[in-house]
């Protein structure tokens, strides 16, 4: 028997003001996208902005449905939006912002498992890390340099 440890690295920013200017703008875009979320059932709105290698910014937000499982998370709406329109361009960064009309979301909201799995697919295919920044409505912003820090022991197509 043997044991092993996995270390994940994160950077924490206390507010938007600690981010470089371009990243501040990307976070504002995620907030803007969040405000257009369609979340009448959970009242939990999420917005995502992606920066592509040519400078294009792609947005997404969660889209719910009366048949609950038919809804989709903001991150995957944004990633698939990017992949469908710009399949050859690498994704450099994703910014995620979440809020609720039921309570103040004052801590960083990290992407759900399915969105992590989706991000891994694109990160591996493009052979370049995707930076992930996530936050709530207020409070700290957490940055991860690669989706692998959020999803260690990844299942990916090399196993198939
Ligand atoms: N949601 C996202 O958009 N992204 C996540 O990573 C977590 C959850 C959405 C899905 C659903 O519309 C609402 O938040 C509540 O789960």
């Amino acid at each position: 028997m043997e044991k092993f440890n996995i270390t994940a690295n994160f950077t924490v920013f206390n507010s938007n003001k600690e981010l470089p200017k371009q990243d501040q703008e990307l976070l504002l875009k995620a907030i803007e996208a969040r405000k257009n979320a369609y979340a009448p059932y959970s009242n939990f709105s999420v917005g995502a902005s992606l920066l592509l290698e040519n400078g294009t910014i792609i947005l997404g937000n969660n889209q719910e449905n009366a048949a609950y499982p038919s809804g989709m998370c903001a991150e995957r709406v944004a990633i698939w939006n990017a992949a469908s329109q710009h399949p050859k361009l690498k994704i450099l960064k994703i910014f995620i912002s979440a809020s609720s009309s039921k309570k103040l979301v004052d801590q960083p909201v990290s992407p759900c498992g399915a969105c992590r799995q989706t991000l891994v697919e694109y990160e591996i295919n493009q052979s370049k890390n995707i930076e992930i920044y996530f936050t709530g409505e207020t409070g700290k912003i957490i940055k991860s340099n690669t989706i692998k820090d959020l999803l260690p022991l990844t299942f990916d197509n090399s196993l198939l």
Side-chain angles (χ1 to χ4, degrees), residues 39 42 44 46 62-64 72-75 109-112 115:
S42 70
F44 193 81
V46 185
N62 54 327
Q63 296 293 322
E64 297 187 350
M72 186 45 64
C73 291
E75 296 89 328
V109 174
S110 65
C112 79
C115 289

Side-chain angles (χ1 to χ4, degrees), residues 34 96-99 105-109 134-140:
R34 189 192 78 209
I96 304 157
S97 163
S99 70
V105 179
D106 57 3
Q107 54 189 330
V109 174
F134 52 93
T135 186
E137 186 178 1
T138 62
K140 296 180 191 299

Side-chain angles (χ1 to χ4, degrees), residues 110-138:
S110 65
C112 79
C115 289
R116 294 177 197 205
Q117 183 66 35
T118 304
L119 276 160
V120 157
E121 182 86 12
Y122 292 94
E123 184 174 279
I124 289 173
N125 285 351
Q126 70 181 23
S127 304
K128 182 167 177 58
N129 287 358
I130 300 175
E131 292 179 5
I132 298 132
Y133 298 74
F134 52 93
T135 186
E137 186 178 1
T138 62

Side-chain angles (χ1 to χ4, degrees), residues 37-45 62-68 70-72:
Y38 176 62
Y41 305 106
S42 70
N43 296 301
F44 193 81
S45 297
N62 54 327
Q63 296 293 322
E64 297 187 350
N65 193 282
Y68 292 0
S70 302
M72 186 45 64

